[in-house]
Amino acid sequence: MIAEPIVYVSESALERLRVSAAHSHPLETGGILIGVTAGDSPWVTEVRTVDSPGRGPAQFILPRGVTQRAVRDARRADARLGYIGDWHSHPADVPASRTDLLTTRTTSLAMRRSVLLLVARHRGTTYALDMSMARGTRIVPCRMIPTGDLPLPAHQTDTTS
């Protein structure tokens, strides 16, 4: 049996995601997962929430062109960062839909690499988080490991004492 892929996620990104989902409730919201690769594992270091006119209680549509802009903005601050997937909330306690999975598979195939999908499901007073990874046509559940934030690049650290 193959172990679930591990995905590292900064605790600050998890908090921003939950706050965005709660603020948007009862409508869906979502956006982009930005990060780096740590060894063989993706590391989500930022969650970008994207305003979408195509959202409702059971729908979130990522507007065309926002992914490239979000990645470009993130790379201005830290050149190591890149797109690693999408996220959105479900105001009900339901998992990723067939449309969610198909979209993630299509993106993975187009990019010719693994792509993440994170769905925040409303459960009680909080949000349960489901992470999946598309590897070509396969989608597999992932194990999330909370982490601290990505350290600043060496050229941005303060070396004065």
Side-chain angles (χ1 to χ4, degrees):
M1 182 170 152
I2 299 174
E4 290 179 325
I6 292 174
V7 177
Y8 300 102
V9 185
S10 75
E11 291 171 339
S12 61
L14 291 171
E15 180 62 18
R16 280 191 300 274
L17 188 143
R18 285 188 172 107
V19 167
S20 291
H23 180 72
S24 179
H25 190 80
L27 302 178
E28 288 193 7
T29 191
I32 311 299
L33 302 173
I34 293 177
V36 297
T37 300
D40 292 332
S41 297
W43 182 2
V44 178
T45 60
E46 292 185 34
V47 172
R48 300 278 173 117
T49 301
V50 174
D51 188 32
S52 174
R55 70 187 188 115
Q59 175 176 297
F60 177 81
I61 299 171
L62 200 57
R64 187 177 298 278
V66 299
T67 300
Q68 293 83 0
R69 281 192 300 275
V71 171
R72 201 169 37 247
D73 291 346
R75 284 188 175 152
R76 275 197 268 279
D78 188 337
R80 300 172 295 173
L81 299 177
Y83 169 83
I84 54 177
D86 297 326
W87 77 274
H88 69 277
S89 64
H90 284 179
D93 189 6
V94 295
S97 69
R98 292 183 70 162
T99 300
D100 297 337
L101 299 173
L102 177 60
T103 301
T104 304
R105 277 189 201 113
T106 302
T107 303
S108 176
L109 287 167
M111 296 184 80
R112 294 186 167 151
R113 65 178 180 83
S114 297
V115 172
L116 298 176
L117 170 64
L118 191 150
V119 174
R121 298 180 288 117
H122 188 256
R123 179 180 284 168
T125 59
T126 190
Y127 283 83
L129 305 178
D130 297 333
M131 181 76 78
S132 300
M133 178 185 292
R135 291 179 171 160
T137 59
R138 290 191 56 217
I139 297 228
V140 295
C142 298
R143 184 171 145 228
M144 285 191 293
I145 297 179
T147 68
D149 289 334
L150 182 66
L152 289 173
H155 70 279
Q156 290 183 346
T157 57
D158 183 5
T159 57
T160 60
S161 311

